[in-house]
Coordinates of all heavy atoms in Angstrom, one line a residue:
M10 N 0.8 -1.2 0.0 CA 0.0 0.0 0.0 C 0.9 1.3 0.0 O 0.5 2.2 -0.6 CB -1.0 0.0 1.2 CG -2.0 -1.1 1.2 SD -2.9 -1.3 -0.4 CE -3.8 0.3 -0.3
A11 N 2.0 1.2 0.7 CA 2.9 2.3 0.7 C 3.4 2.6 -0.7 O 3.5 3.8 -1.1 CB 4.1 2.1 1.6
L12 N 3.7 1.5 -1.5 CA 4.2 1.7 -2.8 C 3.2 2.3 -3.7 O 3.4 3.2 -4.5 CB 4.7 0.4 -3.4 CG 6.0 -0.1 -2.7 CD1 6.3 -1.6 -3.1 CD2 7.2 0.8 -3.2
A13 N 1.9 1.9 -3.5 CA 0.8 2.4 -4.3 C 0.6 3.9 -3.9 O 0.4 4.8 -4.8 CB -0.5 1.7 -4.1
T14 N 0.8 4.2 -2.7 CA 0.6 5.6 -2.2 C 1.7 6.5 -2.9 O 1.4 7.6 -3.4 CB 0.7 5.7 -0.7 OG1 -0.3 4.9 -0.1 CG2 0.6 7.1 -0.2
F15 N 2.9 6.0 -2.9 CA 4.0 6.8 -3.5 C 3.7 7.0 -5.0 O 4.0 8.1 -5.5 CB 5.4 6.0 -3.4 CG 5.9 6.0 -2.0 CD1 6.5 4.8 -1.5 CD2 5.8 7.0 -1.1 CE1 7.0 4.7 -0.2 CE2 6.3 7.0 0.2 CZ 6.9 5.8 0.6
K16 N 3.2 6.0 -5.7 CA 2.9 6.2 -7.1 C 1.7 7.2 -7.4 O 1.8 7.9 -8.3 CB 2.5 4.8 -7.8 CG 3.7 3.9 -7.9 CD 4.8 4.5 -8.9 CE 6.0 3.6 -9.0 NZ 7.1 4.3 -9.6
H17 N 0.7 7.1 -6.6 CA -0.5 7.9 -6.8 C -0.3 9.3 -6.2 O -1.0 10.3 -6.7 CB -1.7 7.3 -6.2 CG -2.1 6.1 -7.0 ND1 -2.8 6.2 -8.2 CD2 -1.9 4.7 -6.8 CE1 -3.1 5.0 -8.7 NE2 -2.5 4.1 -7.9
F18 N 0.5 9.5 -5.2 CA 0.7 10.8 -4.6 C 2.1 11.1 -4.5 O 2.8 10.9 -3.5 CB 0.1 10.8 -3.2 CG -1.4 10.4 -3.2 CD1 -1.7 9.0 -2.8 CD2 -2.4 11.2 -3.5 CE1 -3.1 8.6 -2.8 CE2 -3.7 10.9 -3.5 CZ -4.1 9.5 -3.2
P19 N 2.7 11.7 -5.6 CA 4.2 11.9 -5.7 C 4.7 12.8 -4.7 O 6.0 12.8 -4.5 CB 4.3 12.5 -7.1 CG 3.0 12.4 -7.8 CD 2.0 12.0 -6.8
N20 N 3.9 13.6 -4.0 CA 4.5 14.5 -3.0 C 4.7 13.8 -1.7 O 5.4 14.4 -0.8 CB 3.5 15.7 -2.8 CG 3.5 16.6 -4.0 OD1 4.5 16.7 -4.8 ND2 2.4 17.2 -4.2
I21 N 4.2 12.6 -1.5 CA 4.4 11.9 -0.2 C 5.7 11.2 -0.3 O 6.0 10.4 -1.2 CB 3.2 10.9 0.0 CG1 1.9 11.7 0.2 CG2 3.5 10.0 1.2 CD1 0.7 10.9 0.4
K22 N 6.5 11.5 0.8 CA 7.8 10.9 0.9 C 8.0 9.8 1.9 O 9.0 9.1 2.0 CB 8.9 12.0 1.2 CG 8.8 13.2 0.3 CD 9.2 12.9 -1.1 CE 9.2 14.2 -2.0 NZ 8.7 14.0 -3.3
E23 N 7.0 9.7 2.8 CA 7.0 8.8 3.9 C 5.6 8.3 4.2 O 4.7 9.1 4.3 CB 7.6 9.4 5.1 CG 7.7 8.6 6.4 CD 8.3 9.3 7.6 OE1 9.2 10.1 7.4 OE2 7.8 9.0 8.7
V24 N 5.5 7.0 4.4 CA 4.2 6.4 4.8 C 4.5 5.6 6.1 O 5.4 4.8 6.2 CB 3.7 5.4 3.7 CG1 2.5 4.7 4.3 CG2 3.4 6.2 2.5
R25 N 3.7 6.0 7.1 CA 3.7 5.2 8.4 C 2.4 4.3 8.4 O 1.3 4.9 8.4 CB 3.7 6.1 9.6 CG 5.0 6.8 9.7 CD 5.0 7.7 11.0 NE 5.5 9.0 10.6 CZ 5.4 10.1 11.3 NH1 4.7 10.0 12.5 NH2 5.8 11.2 10.9
G26 N 2.6 3.0 8.3 CA 1.5 2.1 8.3 C 1.4 1.2 9.5 O 2.4 1.1 10.2
G27 N 0.3 0.6 9.6 CA 0.1 -0.4 10.7 C -0.9 -1.4 10.3 O -1.9 -1.2 9.6
L28 N -0.7 -2.6 10.9 CA -1.7 -3.7 10.8 C -2.2 -4.0 12.2 O -1.4 -4.2 13.1 CB -1.0 -5.0 10.2 CG -0.6 -4.9 8.7 CD1 0.2 -6.2 8.4 CD2 -1.9 -4.8 7.8
M29 N -3.5 -3.9 12.3 CA -4.1 -4.2 13.6 C -4.7 -5.6 13.6 O -5.6 -5.9 12.7 CB -5.1 -3.2 14.0 CG -5.8 -3.6 15.3 SD -6.8 -2.2 15.9 CE -5.6 -1.6 17.1
F30 N -4.3 -6.4 14.5 CA -4.9 -7.8 14.6 C -5.8 -7.7 15.8 O -5.4 -7.7 17.0 CB -3.8 -8.8 14.8 CG -2.9 -8.9 13.6 CD1 -1.8 -8.1 13.4 CD2 -3.2 -9.8 12.5 CE1 -1.0 -8.1 12.3 CE2 -2.4 -9.8 11.4 CZ -1.3 -9.0 11.3
V31 N -7.1 -7.7 15.5 CA -8.1 -7.4 16.6 C -8.2 -8.6 17.6 O -8.5 -8.4 18.7 CB -9.5 -7.0 16.0 CG1 -9.4 -5.7 15.3 CG2 -10.0 -8.1 15.1
V32 N -8.1 -9.8 17.1 CA -8.3 -11.0 18.0 C -7.1 -11.0 19.0 O -7.4 -11.2 20.2 CB -8.3 -12.3 17.2 CG1 -8.3 -13.5 18.2 CG2 -9.6 -12.3 16.3
S33 N -5.9 -10.8 18.5 CA -4.7 -10.9 19.5 C -4.4 -9.5 20.0 O -3.5 -9.4 20.8 CB -3.5 -11.4 18.7 OG -3.2 -10.7 17.6
N34 N -5.2 -8.5 19.6 CA -5.0 -7.1 20.1 C -3.5 -6.6 19.9 O -2.9 -6.1 20.8 CB -5.4 -7.0 21.6 CG -5.6 -5.5 22.0 OD1 -5.9 -4.7 21.1 ND2 -5.4 -5.2 23.2
E35 N -3.0 -6.9 18.7 CA -1.7 -6.4 18.4 C -1.7 -5.4 17.3 O -2.5 -5.5 16.4 CB -0.8 -7.6 17.9 CG -0.5 -8.6 18.9 CD 0.3 -9.8 18.3 OE1 1.5 -9.7 18.2 OE2 -0.4 -10.8 18.0
L36 N -0.8 -4.4 17.3 CA -0.6 -3.4 16.3 C 0.8 -3.5 15.9 O 1.8 -3.3 16.7 CB -1.0 -2.0 16.8 CG -0.7 -0.9 15.8 CD1 -1.6 -1.1 14.6 CD2 -1.0 0.4 16.5
I37 N 1.0 -3.9 14.6 CA 2.4 -3.9 14.0 C 2.6 -2.7 13.1 O 1.8 -2.5 12.2 CB 2.6 -5.3 13.3 CG1 2.5 -6.4 14.3 CG2 4.0 -5.3 12.6 CD1 2.5 -7.8 13.6
T38 N 3.5 -1.9 13.4 CA 3.7 -0.7 12.6 C 5.1 -0.7 11.9 O 6.0 -1.5 12.3 CB 3.7 0.5 13.5 OG1 4.8 0.5 14.4 CG2 2.4 0.7 14.2
D39 N 5.1 0.1 10.8 CA 6.4 0.2 10.1 C 6.4 1.5 9.3 O 5.3 2.1 9.1 CB 6.6 -0.9 9.1 CG 8.1 -1.3 8.9 OD1 8.9 -0.4 9.1 OD2 8.4 -2.4 8.4
T40 N 7.5 2.0 9.0 CA 7.6 3.2 8.2 C 8.3 2.9 6.9 O 9.3 2.2 6.8 CB 8.5 4.3 9.0 OG1 7.8 4.5 10.2 CG2 8.6 5.6 8.2
Y41 N 7.8 3.5 5.8 CA 8.3 3.2 4.5 C 8.7 4.6 3.9 O 7.9 5.5 3.9 CB 7.2 2.6 3.6 CG 6.7 1.3 4.2 CD1 5.5 1.3 5.0 CD2 7.3 0.1 4.1 CE1 5.1 0.2 5.6 CE2 6.9 -1.1 4.6 CZ 5.8 -1.0 5.4 OH 5.3 -2.2 6.0
L42 N 9.9 4.6 3.3 CA 10.4 5.9 2.8 C 10.5 5.8 1.2 O 10.9 4.7 0.7 CB 11.8 6.1 3.3 CG 11.9 6.3 4.8 CD1 13.4 6.4 5.2 CD2 11.1 7.4 5.3
L43 N 10.1 6.9 0.6 CA 10.2 6.9 -0.9 C 11.6 6.6 -1.3 O 11.8 5.9 -2.4 CB 9.8 8.3 -1.4 CG 9.8 8.5 -2.9 CD1 8.8 7.6 -3.6 CD2 9.5 10.0 -3.2
T44 N 12.6 7.0 -0.6 CA 14.0 6.8 -1.0 C 14.4 5.3 -1.0 O 15.4 4.9 -1.6 CB 15.0 7.5 -0.1 OG1 14.7 7.2 1.3 CG2 14.8 9.0 -0.2
N45 N 13.5 4.5 -0.3 CA 13.8 3.0 -0.3 C 12.9 2.2 -1.2 O 12.8 1.0 -1.1 CB 13.6 2.5 1.1 CG 14.6 3.0 2.1 OD1 15.7 3.4 1.7 ND2 14.3 2.9 3.4
Q46 N 12.2 2.9 -2.1 CA 11.2 2.2 -2.9 C 11.8 1.2 -3.8 O 11.1 0.2 -4.1 CB 10.3 3.2 -3.7 CG 10.9 3.9 -4.8 CD 9.9 4.6 -5.6 OE1 8.7 4.2 -5.7 NE2 10.3 5.7 -6.2
G47 N 13.0 1.4 -4.3 CA 13.6 0.4 -5.1 C 13.7 -1.0 -4.4 O 13.4 -2.0 -5.0
E48 N 14.2 -0.9 -3.2 CA 14.3 -2.1 -2.4 C 12.9 -2.7 -2.1 O 12.7 -3.9 -2.2 CB 15.0 -1.8 -1.1 CG 15.1 -2.9 -0.1 CD 15.7 -2.4 1.2 OE1 16.5 -1.4 1.2 OE2 15.4 -3.0 2.3
L49 N 12.0 -1.9 -1.8 CA 10.6 -2.3 -1.5 C 10.0 -3.0 -2.7 O 9.3 -4.0 -2.6 CB 9.7 -1.2 -1.0 CG 10.2 -0.5 0.3 CD1 9.4 0.8 0.5 CD2 10.0 -1.5 1.4
W50 N 10.2 -2.4 -3.9 CA 9.6 -3.0 -5.1 C 10.2 -4.4 -5.4 O 9.5 -5.3 -6.0 CB 9.8 -2.1 -6.4 CG 8.8 -1.1 -6.5 CD1 8.9 0.3 -6.4 CD2 7.4 -1.3 -6.8 NE1 7.7 0.9 -6.5 CE2 6.8 0.0 -6.9 CE3 6.6 -2.4 -7.1 CZ2 5.4 0.1 -7.1 CZ3 5.3 -2.3 -7.4 CH2 4.7 -1.0 -7.4
G51 N 11.4 -4.7 -5.0 CA 12.1 -5.9 -5.3 C 11.3 -7.1 -4.8 O 11.2 -8.1 -5.5
K52 N 10.6 -7.0 -3.7 CA 9.8 -8.1 -3.1 C 8.7 -8.4 -4.1 O 8.3 -9.6 -4.3 CB 9.2 -7.7 -1.8 CG 8.2 -8.6 -1.2 CD 7.7 -8.1 0.1 CE 6.6 -9.0 0.6 NZ 5.9 -8.4 1.8
W53 N 8.1 -7.4 -4.7 CA 6.9 -7.6 -5.5 C 7.2 -8.0 -7.0 O 6.5 -8.7 -7.6 CB 6.0 -6.4 -5.5 CG 5.5 -6.1 -4.1 CD1 6.0 -5.1 -3.3 CD2 4.6 -6.8 -3.3 NE1 5.4 -5.2 -2.0 CE2 4.6 -6.2 -2.0 CE3 3.8 -7.9 -3.6 CZ2 3.7 -6.7 -1.0 CZ3 2.9 -8.4 -2.6 CH2 2.9 -7.8 -1.3
L54 N 8.3 -7.4 -7.5 CA 8.7 -7.6 -8.9 C 9.1 -9.1 -9.1 O 9.0 -9.6 -10.2 CB 9.8 -6.7 -9.3 CG 9.3 -5.2 -9.4 CD1 10.5 -4.3 -9.8 CD2 8.2 -5.1 -10.4
A55 N 9.5 -9.8 -8.0 CA 9.9 -11.2 -8.2 C 8.7 -12.0 -8.7 O 8.8 -13.0 -9.4 CB 10.4 -11.8 -6.9
D56 N 7.5 -11.6 -8.3 CA 6.3 -12.3 -8.7 C 5.6 -11.8 -10.0 O 4.7 -12.3 -10.5 CB 5.2 -12.3 -7.6 CG 5.6 -13.1 -6.4 OD1 6.4 -14.1 -6.6 OD2 5.1 -12.8 -5.3
Y57 N 6.2 -10.7 -10.5 CA 5.5 -10.0 -11.6 C 5.5 -10.8 -12.9 O 4.5 -10.8 -13.6 CB 6.2 -8.6 -11.8 CG 5.6 -7.8 -13.0 CD1 4.4 -7.2 -12.8 CD2 6.3 -7.8 -14.2 CE1 3.8 -6.5 -13.9 CE2 5.7 -7.1 -15.3 CZ 4.5 -6.5 -15.1 OH 3.9 -5.8 -16.1
T58 N 6.6 -11.5 -13.1 CA 6.7 -12.3 -14.3 C 5.5 -13.3 -14.4 O 4.9 -13.6 -15.4 CB 8.0 -13.0 -14.5 OG1 9.0 -12.0 -14.4 CG2 8.1 -13.8 -15.7
N59 N 5.3 -14.0 -13.2 CA 4.2 -15.0 -13.2 C 2.8 -14.3 -13.4 O 2.0 -14.8 -14.1 CB 4.2 -15.6 -11.8 CG 5.4 -16.6 -11.6 OD1 6.0 -17.0 -12.6 ND2 5.7 -16.9 -10.4
M60 N 2.6 -13.1 -12.8 CA 1.3 -12.4 -13.0 C 1.2 -12.0 -14.5 O 0.1 -12.1 -15.1 CB 1.3 -11.2 -12.1 CG 1.1 -11.6 -10.6 SD 0.7 -10.2 -9.6 CE 2.4 -9.5 -9.4
E61 N 2.3 -11.5 -15.1 CA 2.2 -11.1 -16.5 C 1.9 -12.3 -17.4 O 1.1 -12.1 -18.3 CB 3.6 -10.5 -16.8 CG 3.6 -9.8 -18.2 CD 4.9 -9.1 -18.4 OE1 6.0 -9.7 -18.1 OE2 4.9 -8.0 -19.0
S62 N 2.5 -13.4 -17.1 CA 2.3 -14.6 -17.9 C 0.8 -15.0 -17.8 O 0.2 -15.4 -18.7 CB 3.2 -15.7 -17.5 OG 2.9 -16.9 -18.1
A63 N 0.3 -15.0 -16.5 CA -1.1 -15.4 -16.3 C -2.0 -14.5 -17.1 O -3.0 -14.9 -17.8 CB -1.5 -15.3 -14.8
F64 N -1.8 -13.2 -17.1 CA -2.6 -12.2 -17.8 C -2.5 -12.4 -19.3 O -3.5 -12.5 -20.0 CB -2.2 -10.8 -17.5 CG -3.0 -9.7 -18.2 CD1 -4.2 -9.4 -17.7 CD2 -2.5 -9.1 -19.3 CE1 -5.0 -8.4 -18.4 CE2 -3.2 -8.1 -19.9 CZ -4.5 -7.8 -19.5
T65 N -1.3 -12.6 -19.8 CA -1.0 -12.8 -21.3 C -1.7 -14.0 -21.8 O -2.3 -14.0 -22.9 CB 0.5 -12.9 -21.6 OG1 1.1 -11.7 -21.1 CG2 0.7 -13.1 -23.0
N66 N -1.7 -15.1 -21.0 CA -2.2 -16.4 -21.4 C -3.7 -16.6 -21.0 O -4.3 -17.6 -21.2 CB -1.4 -17.5 -21.0 CG 0.0 -17.4 -21.6 OD1 0.2 -17.3 -22.8 ND2 1.1 -17.5 -20.7
D67 N -4.2 -15.6 -20.2 CA -5.5 -15.8 -19.6 C -5.7 -17.1 -18.9 O -6.7 -17.8 -19.0 CB -6.6 -15.6 -20.6 CG -8.0 -15.3 -19.9 OD1 -8.0 -14.9 -18.8 OD2 -9.0 -15.5 -20.6
T68 N -4.6 -17.5 -18.1 CA -4.6 -18.7 -17.4 C -4.4 -18.4 -15.9 O -3.3 -17.8 -15.6 CB -3.5 -19.6 -17.9 OG1 -3.7 -19.9 -19.3 CG2 -3.4 -20.9 -17.1
W69 N -5.4 -18.7 -15.1 CA -5.3 -18.3 -13.7 C -5.4 -19.6 -12.9 O -6.5 -20.0 -12.5 CB -6.5 -17.3 -13.4 CG -6.5 -16.2 -14.3 CD1 -7.2 -16.1 -15.5 CD2 -5.7 -15.0 -14.2 NE1 -6.9 -14.9 -16.1 CE2 -6.0 -14.2 -15.3 CE3 -4.8 -14.5 -13.3 CZ2 -5.4 -13.0 -15.5 CZ3 -4.2 -13.3 -13.5 CH2 -4.5 -12.5 -14.6
N70 N -4.2 -20.1 -12.6 CA -4.2 -21.4 -11.8 C -4.5 -21.1 -10.4 O -4.2 -20.0 -9.8 CB -2.8 -22.0 -11.9 CG -2.5 -22.4 -13.4 OD1 -3.4 -22.9 -14.1 ND2 -1.3 -22.2 -13.8
A71 N -5.1 -22.1 -9.7 CA -5.4 -22.0 -8.3 C -4.1 -21.8 -7.5 O -3.0 -22.4 -7.9 CB -6.2 -23.2 -7.8
N72 N -4.1 -21.1 -6.5 CA -3.0 -20.9 -5.6 C -3.4 -21.1 -4.2 O -3.6 -20.1 -3.4 CB -2.4 -19.5 -5.9 CG -1.1 -19.2 -5.2 OD1 -0.4 -20.2 -4.7 ND2 -0.7 -18.0 -5.0
P73 N -3.6 -22.3 -3.8 CA -4.2 -22.6 -2.4 C -3.3 -22.0 -1.3 O -2.1 -22.1 -1.4 CB -4.3 -24.1 -2.4 CG -3.4 -24.6 -3.5 CD -3.3 -23.5 -4.5
S74 N -4.0 -21.6 -0.3 CA -3.3 -21.1 0.9 C -4.2 -21.3 2.1 O -5.3 -21.8 2.0 CB -3.0 -19.6 0.8 OG -4.2 -18.8 0.9
G75 N -3.8 -20.9 3.2 CA -4.6 -21.0 4.5 C -5.8 -20.1 4.5 O -6.7 -20.2 5.4
L76 N -6.0 -19.3 3.5 CA -7.1 -18.4 3.4 C -8.3 -19.0 2.7 O -9.4 -18.4 2.7 CB -6.7 -17.1 2.8 CG -5.5 -16.3 3.4 CD1 -5.2 -15.1 2.6 CD2 -5.9 -15.9 4.9
C77 N -8.1 -20.1 1.9 CA -9.1 -20.6 1.0 C -10.5 -20.8 1.7 O -11.5 -20.2 1.3 CB -8.6 -21.9 0.4 SG -7.2 -21.7 -0.7
K78 N -10.5 -21.6 2.7 CA -11.8 -22.0 3.3 C -12.4 -20.9 4.1 O -13.6 -20.8 4.1 CB -11.6 -23.2 4.2 CG -11.2 -24.5 3.5 CD -11.1 -25.7 4.4 CE -10.7 -26.9 3.6 NZ -10.5 -28.1 4.5
A79 N -11.7 -20.1 4.7 CA -12.2 -19.1 5.5 C -12.6 -17.8 4.8 O -13.5 -17.1 5.2 CB -11.3 -18.7 6.6
H80 N -12.0 -17.5 3.7 CA -12.2 -16.2 3.1 C -12.5 -16.1 1.6 O -13.0 -15.1 1.1 CB -10.9 -15.3 3.3 CG -10.6 -15.1 4.8 ND1 -11.4 -14.3 5.6 CD2 -9.7 -15.7 5.6 CE1 -10.9 -14.3 6.8 NE2 -9.9 -15.1 6.8
C81 N -12.2 -17.2 0.8 CA -12.3 -17.1 -0.6 C -13.8 -17.2 -1.0 O -14.5 -18.1 -0.5 CB -11.5 -18.1 -1.3 SG -11.5 -17.9 -3.1
V82 N -14.2 -16.4 -2.0 CA -15.6 -16.4 -2.5 C -15.7 -17.4 -3.7 O -16.8 -17.5 -4.2 CB -16.0 -15.0 -2.9 CG1 -16.1 -14.1 -1.6 CG2 -15.2 -14.4 -4.0
V83 N -14.6 -18.0 -4.2 CA -14.7 -18.8 -5.4 C -15.1 -20.2 -4.9 O -14.2 -21.1 -4.7 CB -13.3 -18.8 -6.1 CG1 -13.4 -19.7 -7.4 CG2 -12.9 -17.4 -6.5
L84 N -16.4 -20.4 -4.7 CA -16.8 -21.7 -4.1 C -16.6 -22.9 -5.0 O -16.6 -24.0 -4.6 CB -18.3 -21.5 -3.8 CG -18.6 -20.5 -2.7 CD1 -20.1 -20.4 -2.5 CD2 -17.9 -20.7 -1.4
E85 N -16.6 -22.7 -6.3 CA -16.4 -23.8 -7.3 C -15.0 -24.3 -7.3 O -14.7 -25.3 -7.9 CB -16.9 -23.4 -8.7 CG -16.1 -22.2 -9.3 CD -16.7 -20.9 -9.0 OE1 -17.5 -20.7 -8.0 OE2 -16.4 -19.9 -9.7
C86 N -14.0 -23.6 -6.7 CA -12.6 -24.1 -6.7 C -12.5 -25.3 -5.8 O -13.0 -25.3 -4.6 CB -11.7 -23.0 -6.1 SG -10.0 -23.5 -6.1
P87 N -11.8 -26.3 -6.2 CA -11.7 -27.5 -5.4 C -10.9 -27.3 -4.1 O -11.0 -28.1 -3.1 CB -10.9 -28.5 -6.3 CG -10.2 -27.7 -7.3 CD -11.1 -26.5 -7.5
H88 N -10.2 -26.2 -4.0 CA -9.4 -25.9 -2.7 C -10.3 -25.2 -1.7 O -9.9 -25.0 -0.6 CB -8.2 -25.1 -3.1 CG -7.3 -25.8 -4.0 ND1 -6.5 -26.9 -3.6 CD2 -7.0 -25.6 -5.3 CE1 -5.8 -27.3 -4.7 NE2 -6.1 -26.5 -5.7
N89 N -11.4 -24.7 -2.1 CA -12.3 -23.9 -1.2 C -12.9 -24.7 -0.1 O -12.8 -24.3 1.0 CB -13.4 -23.2 -2.0 CG -14.1 -22.2 -1.2 OD1 -14.8 -22.6 -0.2 ND2 -14.0 -20.9 -1.6
G90 N -13.5 -25.9 -0.5 CA -14.0 -26.7 0.6 C -15.4 -26.3 1.1 O -16.0 -27.0 1.9
R91 N -15.9 -25.2 0.6 CA -17.3 -24.8 1.1 C -18.3 -24.9 0.0 O -19.5 -24.6 0.2 CB -17.2 -23.3 1.6 CG -16.5 -23.2 2.9 CD -16.5 -21.8 3.4 NE -15.7 -20.9 2.5 CZ -16.0 -19.7 2.1 NH1 -17.1 -19.1 2.6 NH2 -15.3 -19.0 1.3
G92 N -17.8 -25.3 -1.3 CA -18.8 -25.3 -2.4 C -19.6 -26.5 -2.5 O -19.6 -27.4 -1.7
Ligands
SF4_1 S1 -10.1 -21.4 -2.9 FE1 -9.8 -19.4 -3.7 S2 -7.9 -18.7 -2.9 FE2 -7.9 -20.9 -2.7 S3 -7.0 -21.7 -4.5 FE3 -9.1 -21.6 -4.9 S4 -9.5 -19.6 -5.9 FE4 -7.5 -19.5 -4.9

């Protein structure tokens, strides 16, 4: 989200973000600097080739995770388990 903020609002040089986990009552915070965006993009660009290939070939393979059963709305997916 910080990277998106930097792209959409070029005057912003620093983003202070936080994730709040309401069940465990934890708040994890971090600060992201525009000057570090090259390093921050590195994490996401590693997956970019796969996303680009999926888009080009219109092939969207299932990517099961621990979120499937609890959160995914694609009930027809065999990994969902609620369909
Ligand atoms: S259940 Fe949803 S999140 Fe899990 S693999 Fe299928 S489509 Fe992806």
Side-chain angles (χ1 to χ4, degrees):
M10 295 307 297
L12 289 168
T14 301
F15 291 142
K16 288 296 180 194
H17 288 282
F18 304 100
N20 293 331
I21 292 178
K22 309 292 185 222
E23 177 181 326
V24 171
R25 287 184 231 164
L28 290 173
M29 175 168 262
F30 297 88
V31 293
V32 173
S33 60
N34 197 28
E35 290 179 82
L36 176 63
I37 297 173
T38 62
D39 210 338
T40 300
Y41 305 93
L42 302 174
L43 179 64
T44 54
N45 292 342
Q46 72 170 330
E48 177 185 331
L49 295 170
W50 275 112
K52 173 184 175 186
W53 301 102
L54 291 178
D56 290 333
Y57 180 74
T58 302
N59 290 339
M60 289 188 282
E61 188 175 41
S62 175
F64 180 79
T65 300
N66 299 309
D67 196 23
T68 300
W69 306 94
N70 295 322
N72 186 17
S74 74
L76 303 175
C77 295
K78 290 182 182 176
H80 299 286
C81 185
V82 297
V83 185
L84 299 178
E85 60 271 18
C86 178
H88 302 287
N89 189 296
R91 289 181 292 141

